[in-house]
Amino acid sequence: MLEIKELHKRYPTGDPALRGVSLSVPAGQVLGLIGPSGAGKSTLIRCINRLVEPTQGQVLLDGQDLAHAGRQGLRMARRQIGMIFQEYALVERLTVMENLLSGRLGYTRFWPSWFRRFPSKDIQLAYSLLERVGLAGMENKRADALSGGQRQRVGIARALMQRPAFLLIDEPTASLDPKTSRQIMRLILTLCAEHKLAAIINIHDVVLATEFLPRIVGLRQGMMVYDGPATQVDHKV
Ligand code: ADP
Ligand code: ADP
């Protein structure tokens, strides 16, 4: 369960980007975040894992306040937050399997020869996740040989490698065609339901959001202007 309470963010320059946003996402729920450019969507997402420092407020993940966590607490908390990105953020010249295992090292500190030292448990999880995302048998393909949809499937599997409690998903389909976008949305929703994962999806495509997501939060000028079912979202945001 993720709870955000009265979150404020003011960058050193300009107007406040978030002005007291409060919301909670229970386990298993996927919440869609929409709003015009500049509304504060990316800032909100980044405040959750502290890529951006909130000015004020709380971000509670299963009761622990990430907004005020120290270095060590933050590191532990980040392990529970899986990230999925618009441009996939794969290491292009590594294989699918290497990309999955590199997630275990926190994205930055890795060297291919380390992979041999991975516990068989991690490797087993990687194989089972590949199957789950529809990429069985693709483990030795290089990332740069994959289609956009396949890359995002790897991105999703990599996020799940750390067995997160929560997923932050930033415009996952913005680089994909409509048909692939729908497949990816369906996959994300199925996996979140299966693993009781809470998730926030920053999604600019309102049509796609209304088609797939039961709950939508609309942001405008750093404030929540809508929180409810997708069916009534049109004229509100
Ligand atoms: P969205 O993701 O909805 O497009 P953002 O969170 O990127 O919105 O931006 C919200 C507001 O904060 C905008 O006014 C934007 O100009 C401002 N902003 C975003 N990032 C920064 C930054 N690093 N420094 C200063 N202002 C920023
Ligand atoms: P163990 O920790 O003993 O491997 P789990 O019950 O945690 O057992 O996992 C069993 C299987 O469930 C894994 O091999 C994997 O396929 C799947 N699984 C567990 N947690 C997750 C997760 N967060 N995301 C995706 N798949 C998972």
Side-chain angles (χ1 to χ4, degrees), residues 11 13 17 35-44 202:
Y11 293 102
T13 54
S37 177
K41 304 182 296 296
S42 311
T43 301
L44 177 58
N202 181 357

Side-chain angles (χ1 to χ4, degrees), residues 183-197:
Q183 293 169 343
I184 292 295
M185 287 300 289
R186 213 168 286 130
L187 179 63
I188 288 172
L189 283 163
T190 308
L191 290 170
C192 286
E194 253 173 37
H195 294 289
K196 300 252 182 324
L197 283 168

Side-chain angles (χ1 to χ4, degrees), residues 28 41 95 113 141 146-147 164 169 186 188 216:
K41 304 182 296 296
T95 66
S113 65
K141 280 243 189 298
L146 302 180
S147 70
I169 312 177
R186 213 168 286 130
I188 288 172
I216 296 216

Side-chain angles (χ1 to χ4, degrees), residues 5-212:
K5 291 186 178 169
E6 277 298 311
L7 199 65
H8 290 258
K9 173 62 188 180
R10 179 194 280 276
Y11 293 102
T13 54
D15 290 336
L18 295 176
R19 313 169 191 236
V21 172
S22 299
L23 57 88
S24 64
V25 194
Q29 186 176 80
V30 181
L31 180 154
L33 202 56
I34 64 170
S37 177
K41 304 182 296 296
S42 311
T43 301
L44 177 58
I45 293 240
R46 289 184 188 146
C47 279
I48 293 172
N49 63 0
R50 296 256 302 270
L51 290 177
V52 161
E53 288 292 335
T55 312
Q56 198 185 314
Q58 291 184 309
V59 176
L60 302 167
L61 185 59
D62 294 330
Q64 192 203 350
D65 186 5
L66 306 189
H68 298 94
R71 251 179 118 86
Q72 187 64 15
L74 188 60
R75 192 177 309 151
M76 300 293 283
R78 278 180 176 155
R79 284 194 202 146
Q80 296 187 61
I81 302 178
M83 299 276 300
I84 297 171
F85 307 92
Q86 173 180 346
E87 297 291 346
Y88 327 119
L90 304 181
V91 185
E92 291 292 324
R93 52 185 189 78
L94 295 186
T95 66
V96 167
M97 179 58 82
E98 286 165 345
N99 268 283
L100 290 195
L101 294 175
S102 74
R104 291 298 262 179
L105 302 171
Y107 302 119
T108 49
R109 285 189 318 132
F110 76 90
W111 190 253
S113 65
W114 291 14
F115 292 127
R116 262 173 267 131
R117 293 188 222 152
F118 273 90
S120 62
K121 206 175 154 181
D122 286 344
I123 295 181
Q124 249 170 23
L125 177 61
Y127 276 114
S128 85
L129 285 173
L130 280 182
E131 195 174 329
R132 252 340 255 109
V133 301
L135 294 179
M138 306 277 274
E139 61 273 12
N140 293 323
K141 280 243 189 298
R142 268 170 59 139
D144 55 14
L146 302 180
S147 70
Q150 290 171 331
R151 279 169 206 223
Q152 194 55 292
R153 287 168 193 272
V154 178
I156 293 166
R158 182 187 54 193
L160 294 178
M161 279 297 290
Q162 67 200 66
R163 300 174 192 273
F166 183 76
L167 288 180
L168 280 178
I169 312 177
D170 199 6
E171 305 220 1
T173 63
S175 308
L176 302 174
D177 65 67
K179 182 166 169 248
T180 311
S181 295
R182 287 184 164 70
Q183 293 169 343
I184 292 295
M185 287 300 289
R186 213 168 286 130
L187 179 63
I188 288 172
L189 283 163
T190 308
L191 290 170
C192 286
E194 253 173 37
H195 294 289
K196 300 252 182 324
L197 283 168
I200 293 186
I201 299 194
N202 181 357
I203 186 165
H204 75 297
D205 184 339
V206 182
V207 176
L208 203 63
T210 37
E211 193 176 325
F212 284 94

